Amino acid sequence: MSSSEASDEPVPSPTASFTEYDARLQRTILDCAKTTSALPGKTDLNFQRTLNRKFSKDLDVCSSRILGFTNQLLELAQGLGSTSGPAALSGSAKKGKGKLKDEEDVVDGYHSLVVDVVDVLLEQVDTCLDEFSGKNKTSAIPKTTTLISETANTKKLPRLDSNILYAAHLSKPQLKFPRPPDNSSTPWKSTLKSKPHAIVPLDPSSSHPYRHEISHINYP
């Protein structure tokens, strides 16, 4: 079944026929994944933008729509749109509260804005399934959760400059080591030239320079 034929079908109700709704949802997600995997990389897209102004405009419109849909899903998941939605599951569902504004937010804030929210939802689903199956009984005493972020007067700090955040201009510290690190599969060999606090003299043929001291240690 093509994506165009599937889009013409009425969307089943998730409450009345969840099986059909779930199958339709899985097909839609699969079609979306196939389409996105066929897209060229970011470098090729930027090159195509320079060749076709209409393509560049259409790409911006599509990106804005996807970003808008993503923020709508995050808003539903965080319970910002209603008090009876997923936010009613737990006060911790607001952990990743925020919106994706641009590509930089998608890259840098994906974990805090998306992953944390999904993790909370999965934890709540697991808890609800345990209660439904009788593994965990619902407490008769209601739990009240107070979020630190709601009680404290927190202020969002400005974003650090990229050259400070990533420090791409700084060289790797291991490049300045007196002896370059050896990450090969060759067996380890001690390079000690002296043996401080030794009980027996340094033996270069020993598997460990302090083997005798470790095996004969006296604990207090």
Side-chain angles (χ1 to χ4, degrees):
M1 180 183 297
S2 63
S3 58
S4 59
E5 293 176 352
S7 60
D8 295 336
E9 297 179 359
V11 178
S13 171
T15 55
S17 54
F18 179 77
T19 303
E20 290 79 3
Y21 176 82
D22 181 64
R24 171 67 182 276
L25 180 63
Q26 296 294 334
R27 290 200 306 269
T28 304
I29 294 176
L30 183 61
D31 291 340
C32 181
K34 290 181 179 179
T35 302
T36 54
S37 62
L39 292 175
K42 181 180 178 180
T43 304
D44 293 334
L45 282 178
N46 292 334
F47 177 70
Q48 293 296 330
R49 281 177 178 271
T50 61
L51 299 180
N52 193 326
R53 182 175 299 178
K54 183 178 182 302
F55 171 76
S56 178
K57 184 178 179 180
D58 292 342
L59 188 62
D60 290 336
V61 172
C62 183
S63 299
S64 298
R65 289 186 61 192
I66 294 176
L67 198 63
F69 291 152
T70 304
N71 283 323
Q72 290 180 15
L73 291 175
L74 288 176
E75 187 175 354
L76 291 174
Q78 295 164 359
L80 302 180
S82 64
T83 57
S84 60
L89 295 175
S90 171
S92 61
K94 295 182 180 179
K95 183 178 180 180
K97 185 176 180 180
K99 286 187 176 181
L100 301 172
K101 297 180 181 179
D102 50 28
E103 181 182 357
E104 189 174 0
D105 283 342
V106 174
V107 175
D108 297 337
Y110 181 79
H111 192 280
S112 61
L113 296 178
V114 178
V115 176
D116 288 345
V117 175
V118 175
D119 284 345
V120 171
L121 294 179
L122 292 176
E123 290 174 3
Q124 295 299 327
V125 169
D126 188 57
T127 302
C128 292
L129 289 175
D130 288 342
E131 293 178 357
F132 179 78
S133 60
K135 294 181 180 179
N136 294 335
K137 294 184 178 180
T138 306
S139 176
I141 303 176
K143 297 180 180 179
T144 57
T145 304
T146 304
L147 295 178
I148 298 177
S149 59
E150 294 179 352
T151 57
N153 184 18
T154 58
K155 184 182 293 184
K156 186 177 180 180
L157 298 176
R159 186 188 299 273
L160 291 175
D161 192 67
S162 59
N163 62 343
I164 299 177
L165 186 63
Y166 299 104
H169 62 288
L170 297 178
S171 60
K172 297 180 180 180
Q174 57 266 36
L175 297 179
K176 298 182 179 181
F177 289 173
R179 185 177 66 256
D182 184 9
N183 296 322
S184 64
S185 58
T186 56
W188 176 83
K189 183 179 181 181
S190 174
T191 58
L192 290 179
K193 303 299 182 182
S194 62
K195 187 178 178 182
H197 309 288
I199 298 177
V200 297
L202 178 63
D203 182 9
S205 62
S206 176
S207 60
H208 194 287
Y210 284 92
R211 180 177 181 178
H212 178 82
E213 285 77 6
I214 294 175
S215 59
H216 293 81
I217 188 170
N218 295 322
Y219 295 97

